[in-house]
Amino acid sequence: MNAAAPARPEPDPLPQHVRVLVIGAGFAGIGAAVTLTRDGQEVLVLERADDVGGTWRDNTYPGCACDVQSDLYCFSFAPNPAWTRTFAPQREILAYLHDVVRRFKVGHLIRCGVAVTAARWDEPTARWHVSTTLGDLTADVLVSGAGGLNEPKLPNVPGIDTFTGQVFHSARWDPSIDLRGRDVAVVGTGASAIQIVPSIAESVASLVLFQRTAAWVLPRRDKAVPGWKRRLFALVPFVQKVSRALLYLTHEITVLGFVWRPFILRAAERMGRAHLRNQVSDPHLRAVLTPTYHAGCKRVLLSDDYYPALSRHTSEVVPSALATVEGDTLIAEDGTKRRVDALILATGFEVSDLPVARMITGKDGRTLHDVWAVDGMQALRGSTVHGFPNLFFLVGPNTGLGHSSMVHVIESQLAYLRDALRTMDERGCAAIEATDSAQQAWNADVRRHMARTIWTTGGCSSWYQDAAGRVTVLWPGSTLRLRRETRRLDPAEYTLTPAAAVTRRTDRHGSEQVDGPIDGLADGLVDGLTGTGARP
Ligand code: N01
């Protein structure tokens, strides 16, 4: 007789309706659960994976760590005196996020293992109709906390699916694969690759790096945080606050180079060249590793062990893109052929073509993906999109950073979301939608500022740009300015639909039934609420 595996208990069904539905339980989703609950909002966070943590759950490759200093890379409302290193390793950041969920008691608001598969705005009921792998529900407000670094970008290399060895993306590391004593190839020279290369270089038989573009690498100077400092931070939290503020300012000042005066970054180039000279004695390898664009155009990388790892006699840099795969042989664009046992694709993520946009359908029946396909990814204040009422982005278009902590941005966007919800409650609104004119004015301003940034003028192509070359990922300003711009929601930038225009009644089973807007009354109330008298 076969011993039957114990049946997994049926998961609790989802509620039929929630006030705020958040997609994703990374930094953004967890931050939303904590802050919105404090405001008394009803929140449900759906996470498709089996655990919270977002990119810090997915990226488990050896050497994975934050490249922003830990005291800055955490919530302002949840400082962590226990960081063990200047740049915390991945497992500590994931543990920190678990701790935030526990400390702020939001675990019951997060449903893991439930993927949102589609969300459609229903104009008559002024609600989002959401499909998930556990059934359907409706939500007044939909928040994307899905971020941009979650969908691995695989290179379009003919024959890669026929590779006879093991192949995996850096964000899908397989811990069961033992690379020791094997011939291994790494593709890519971004933030992931420069952490993976030094972590495996010593133990593999040979390592070959396919480098399409050399990166600017600066010293990292990571250190263990001494015990006395951790105890001091725990005993006197104010000291850690001051330390964080100083760290914030030293990062913030560098935005001058990225955004206003790119020539300032020449100092970083001098530092990068000196770092390369100090660490690589072979002039040929040095030449291969010297970048050919201006520092800052792509993400500036921090490492003290990347160059030494590539200088090992068992390492090799092929200064060319991986172009074809034949059996166990990798062929570069310049014709170089290398036979390997394992292939690691540190090739980044689908950032400028956000997968979440494909499943969100707005009020005219088009998906967000289709709308953005016309003129690039854009949103009013990085948060809201015309035609998609009651939809808010955390880490939305043009909110990414090249110089500071994304957690700061997430908190800025959370403030905006909270003010939007407050506005809706105070004014009795069922729906709030960015006006086309406000969104266009915002986007024109973003593009005007973007034109002089290093990301546009630095002579590189990067994942900050979309297929048309527009920088739709980064914020072309200081984080202080972004915070100011998202402090309050300006009702003049929105069309507000009053709740009274959508009549909801309860049927005899207790379910809410909704009648559509009452013609005439709705328009009158909209004019009264917006105070603009105009409705586009
Ligand atoms: O990805 P990337 P990543 N042949 O897109 C190359 C965050 N992050 O995962 O430069 C050869 O930067 C491609 O080449 P090129 C952080 O925000 C944070 O490394 O386009 N190469 C590029 O070098 C970071 O910026 C941490 O010419 C090929 C690489 O693949 C973001 O994630 C740690 C190729 C992709 O680099 C993404 O970093 C890790 C080919 N056929 C990541 N195809 C922290 O510490 C592509 N490439 C916080």
Side-chain angles (χ1 to χ4, degrees):
M1 209 171 76
N2 288 336
R8 280 181 88 171
E10 282 292 310
D12 290 338
L14 297 175
Q16 287 185 347
H17 178 78
V18 287
R19 167 76 169 145
V20 183
L21 181 67
V22 182
I23 305 174
F27 259 101
I30 292 171
V34 173
T35 51
L36 299 185
T37 309
R38 278 177 171 178
D39 288 352
Q41 298 286 352
E42 182 207 11
V43 187
L44 175 67
V45 182
L46 296 183
E47 167 57 58
R48 66 182 175 181
D50 287 338
D51 190 10
V52 302
T55 194
W56 297 107
R57 173 205 58 232
D58 291 344
N59 285 274
T60 57
Y61 59 76
C64 183
C66 190
D67 58 8
V68 175
Q69 294 196 27
S70 318
D71 282 338
L72 199 52
Y73 198 78
C74 54
F75 291 116
S76 61
F77 57 81
N80 178 17
W83 296 123
T84 62
R85 303 201 65 83
T86 320
F87 296 93
Q90 170 264 341
R91 59 175 190 287
E92 253 181 57
I93 302 171
L94 185 58
Y96 166 77
L97 288 172
H98 282 141
D99 186 52
V100 171
V101 169
R102 242 186 335 264
R103 265 158 74 191
F104 293 89
K105 300 185 173 56
V106 292
H108 65 290
L109 305 174
I110 302 172
R111 291 291 301 271
C112 289
V114 183
V116 171
T117 52
R120 180 180 54 81
W121 175 253
D122 187 62
E123 183 73 353
T125 59
R127 281 181 170 171
W128 284 99
H129 286 220
V130 181
S131 304
T132 80
T133 46
L134 195 59
D136 297 349
L137 75 164
T138 56
D140 290 337
V141 171
L142 183 65
V143 177
S144 170
L149 301 176
N150 57 37
E151 209 59 48
K153 188 173 186 171
L154 301 174
N156 190 11
V157 171
I160 201 162
D161 45 346
T162 63
F163 179 61
T164 49
Q166 279 149 327
V167 53
F168 49 97
H169 187 271
S170 53
R172 299 288 180 269
W173 196 269
D174 182 347
S176 68
I177 295 179
D178 187 359
L179 295 173
R180 283 175 301 178
R182 319 275 299 278
D183 297 315
V184 178
V186 176
V187 181
T189 51
S192 302
I194 69 140
Q195 294 181 339
I196 293 169
V197 165
S199 309
I200 61 170
E202 209 174 321
S203 61
V204 297
S206 72
L207 185 146
V208 56
L209 176 72
F210 285 81
Q211 171 191 277
R212 186 162 65 187
T213 312
W216 282 103
V217 182
L218 300 186
R220 183 173 173 85
R221 302 196 180 104
D222 185 26
K223 293 195 292 281
V225 179
W228 65 262
K229 198 169 180 184
R230 284 187 263 154
R231 285 192 294 278
L232 178 65
F233 282 175
L235 276 169
V236 195
F238 179 71
V239 178
Q240 192 173 23
K241 251 189 184 161
V242 173
S243 160
R244 177 181 161 103
L246 291 174
L247 206 52
Y248 171 73
L249 289 175
T250 52
H251 279 72
E252 190 67 345
I253 201 118
T254 64
V255 80
L256 288 170
F258 286 94
V259 170
W260 286 290
R261 297 283 181 268
F263 73 85
I264 295 173
L265 292 171
R266 302 291 185 272
E269 292 181 9
R270 281 194 292 277
M271 218 188 288
R273 273 193 285 267
H275 191 44
L276 182 57
R277 261 194 321 273
N278 293 339
Q279 295 203 314
V280 179
S281 54
D282 173 4
H284 172 71
L285 182 59
R286 252 200 332 258
V288 161
L289 293 172
T290 302
T292 52
Y293 59 91
H294 286 304
C297 184
K298 287 168 177 279
R299 193 176 177 87
V300 177
L301 308 177
L302 305 178
S303 178
D304 295 327
D305 46 14
Y306 177 65
Y307 288 147
L310 292 177
S311 303
R312 298 176 66 85
H313 71 281
T314 47
S315 299
E316 178 191 11
V317 181
V318 173
S320 181
L322 173 65
T324 325
V325 177
E326 282 174 10
D328 62 359
T329 303
L330 310 182
I331 307 169
E333 223 164 65
D334 67 1
T336 308
K337 290 185 180 183
R338 293 291 177 267
R339 195 213 61 78
V340 294
D341 302 316
L343 171 57
I344 299 164
L345 301 170
T347 45
F349 301 88
E350 299 288 355
V351 185
S352 61
D353 183 12
L354 288 183
V356 75
R358 290 175 192 269
M359 61 188 189
I360 299 178
T361 304
K363 68 180 198 184
D364 71 355
R366 285 190 304 160
T367 65
L368 191 51
H369 172 81
D370 291 343
V371 170
W372 281 346
V374 177
D375 203 16
M377 189 166 79
Q378 52 176 284
L380 173 59
R381 295 175 195 274
S383 299
T384 51
V385 184
H386 175 65
F388 294 79
N390 293 11
L391 171 67
F392 292 84
F393 274 89
L394 301 171
V395 192
N398 288 113
T399 60
L401 300 178
H403 74 287
S404 191
S405 168
M406 279 309 291
V407 185
H408 193 276
V409 170
I410 289 170
E411 289 195 40
S412 297
Q413 290 200 279
L414 280 172
Y416 194 70
L417 169 63
R418 293 170 72 188
D419 200 47
L421 294 171
R422 233 177 346 250
T423 304
M424 290 175 77
D425 289 344
E426 283 169 9
R427 296 183 177 219
C429 296
I432 183 165
E433 179 192 354
T435 65
D436 192 26
S437 54
Q439 186 179 317
Q440 283 194 29
W442 174 263
N443 201 48
D445 193 52
V446 164
R447 288 187 181 177
R448 191 168 54 80
H449 281 94
M450 195 63 81
R452 63 182 178 198
T453 65
I454 190 74
W455 308 305
T456 307
T457 61
C460 74
S461 72
S462 72
W463 62 264
Y464 300 151
Q465 301 154 349
D466 65 13
R470 289 171 294 231
V471 182
T472 54
V473 173
L474 294 181
W475 166 242
S478 65
T479 60
L480 278 173
R481 185 176 155 225
L482 186 63
R483 181 142 294 189
R484 208 174 54 239
E485 298 282 10
T486 52
R487 193 177 296 282
R488 291 259 175 277
L489 176 134
D490 178 1
E493 293 184 330
Y494 285 85
T495 303
L496 309 179
T497 303
V502 178
T503 352
R504 299 190 176 119
R505 57 193 162 74
T506 306
D507 71 10
R508 62 195 170 84
H509 304 296
S511 304
E512 217 173 29
Q513 301 294 299
V514 184
D515 298 331
I518 305 165
D519 291 344
L521 172 62
D523 287 342
L525 284 167
V526 166
D527 293 350
L529 282 168
T530 56
T532 60
R535 196 180 184 207

